Amino acid sequence: MAQAVSVKIPALNKEIKVPTVDSKDLIQAVNPATEEVICSVVAGGAFKTTWGKNVTGWERARLMNKLADLIERDAQELGELETLNNGKPVKIARDFDIGDSVQCLRYYAGFADKIVGSQTIEVDNKTKMAFTRHEPIGVCGQIIPWNYPINMWSWKVAPALAVGCTIVMKPSEITPLTALKLSELVVEAGFPKGVINTVPSLGPVGGAALAAHPDVDKVAFTGSTVTGRKIMEAAAKSNIKKVSLELGGKSPHLVFESADLDQAANWAALGITYNSGQDCTAGSRVYVQNSIYDKFLDILIGKINELSIGDGFDDKNGGGPVVSKGQYDRVWNYIESGKSEGATVAVGGVKRSGKGFYVDPTIFTDIRSDMKIIFGPVLVVGRFETETEAIELANATTYGLGAGLHSNDASQCMRVSSALDAGTVWINQYNMLSNNVPFGGKKQSGIGRELGSYALEEYTSVKAVHWNFGEKLDWPL
């Protein structure tokens, strides 16, 4: 039976109702800016429907566009809820995360009536032909992280809905509130019951159940490489379900001597501070050509110092706290480890007093390749002499999600972008994604692609149909 919990936003003196269901198992949602419990939500079940077989592409598109309209209508409230639970600034949640999610739904709504078989194949023109159909893969378990709760929801949901799949969505146990609020809008948009089902739960419970469930046909996951391995194993041991994984990264950012240093510093600062560094493609390893190293580092430190980190409900702030106490402790453990291993702190690295899981952006220099890594606003800046050395440093990782380079030498841009072993490479910018451009990793950063037309392939299966219209079979053989 559906019920709701009240979520208070003290900074705005208002309340938001969030739907949930009956259960004895409670999950505490915590405000990372104050460390206070916001509310308790509960776990629930999911339905399976024949959405893809009973609804036309035009109707899927209509409902998806309606949902996009409702999210756009409620962008301010959703942004406030995201800030309360995740910590990021309201202006970032509303204008970027939610704005992009609206666009994502509309982009894939445009595909809903254009899912076509790609081939009609000649077998024997006189008697036979064959053709292919791209059919919805079925029930999709989708497991999303806490760093971009609404954005990752849209990336997963939109292509699955477009092709006709049904969804069991498991939001992060740390940030379940906006996924639950979106469920309310799904109902208001008029989707048939059971098309999108939201199941808040702990990862080892709900996530593991989806990965191992024999009635789930595909699982899509964004999160750590460690968990991704467990999901692949569970999928293989159950019904060998299709899997797509967007996993961790340790992305390199190369600055060559021909680059616009002021712009390169802007992008490098954005690459590590955006979303408080809690980004799978965070440009956490910057390597700078020796001839410009000192000058670039001075500019970069100045850029970092210009950014205000604080309460997400104050528009002057461009960053908020990290998402949880666990994340806060992990980041600080790595910062202290960097200090003890001999790296030099160029900026940051000092704990704040008072409440809130705040970690000011920190830059380490004098680094070695064997030093530990972290998922947070912590940047290491190293040196290189030649292009070959830069590429070797960039590729010296088990990850391959993203990489960036800054250069005004067009030939160098082509050479280096080709040599970087990453699923996405940015030239003279960083961390900018578009809904019509595919995104995904190489090596231990995952398999499969999100966004663009490529994402549709993750939610469809190809059926070959052989049609005999003229051959008569003689029997017995």
Side-chain angles (χ1 to χ4, degrees), residues 348-371:
V350 179
K351 282 189 177 183
R352 293 187 183 188
S353 59
K355 287 284 188 179
F357 306 131
Y358 292 101
V359 181
D360 289 311
T362 298
I363 296 178
F364 280 110
T365 59
D366 301 316
I367 59 169
R368 301 189 314 273
S369 60
D370 62 340
M371 289 176 174

Side-chain angles (χ1 to χ4, degrees), residues 376-437:
V378 182
L379 176 65
V380 297
V381 182
R383 301 169 179 262
F384 67 86
E385 188 64 49
T386 66
E387 182 180 304
T388 299
E389 182 187 4
I391 292 167
E392 289 174 352
L393 287 167
N395 289 339
T397 173
T398 58
Y399 298 106
L401 192 56
L405 70 105
H406 295 268
S407 170
N408 281 323
D409 180 335
S411 296
Q412 184 174 62
C413 289
M414 289 301 294
R415 287 194 306 271
V416 176
S417 63
S418 176
L420 289 172
D421 203 7
T424 296
V425 176
W426 290 278
I427 301 174
N428 294 328
Q429 60 176 331
Y430 197 79
N431 230 10
M432 304 302 289
L433 299 171
S434 298
N435 287 303
N436 58 346
V437 180

Side-chain angles (χ1 to χ4, degrees), residues 257-388:
E257 58 189 1
S258 68
D260 179 327
L261 298 190
D262 189 72
Q263 276 297 301
N266 283 345
W267 289 109
L270 177 76
I272 196 59
T273 63
Y274 190 75
N275 210 41
S276 297
Q278 299 167 126
D279 194 309
C280 291
T281 53
S284 53
R285 296 185 296 136
V286 170
Y287 296 105
V288 186
Q289 199 150 21
N290 264 329
S291 58
I292 57 168
Y293 179 89
D294 292 332
K295 183 178 181 180
F296 176 81
L297 184 60
D298 286 343
I299 297 171
L300 178 60
I301 290 172
K303 302 289 186 182
I304 294 293
N305 285 331
E306 290 173 3
L307 183 67
S308 178
I309 305 295
D311 187 348
F313 289 99
D314 187 338
D315 278 348
K316 75 177 182 183
N317 295 320
V322 296
V323 73
S324 67
K325 181 64 162 60
Q327 173 68 359
Y328 175 83
D329 289 341
R330 278 190 293 273
V331 173
W332 277 110
N333 285 339
Y334 279 111
I335 290 175
E336 295 305 323
S337 174
K339 293 176 183 178
S340 67
E341 290 178 350
T344 300
V345 177
V347 67
V350 179
K351 282 189 177 183
R352 293 187 183 188
S353 59
K355 287 284 188 179
F357 306 131
Y358 292 101
V359 181
D360 289 311
T362 298
I363 296 178
F364 280 110
T365 59
D366 301 316
I367 59 169
R368 301 189 314 273
S369 60
D370 62 340
M371 289 176 174
K372 295 176 181 176
I373 60 174
I374 183 58
F375 189 70
V378 182
L379 176 65
V380 297
V381 182
R383 301 169 179 262
F384 67 86
E385 188 64 49
T386 66
E387 182 180 304
T388 299

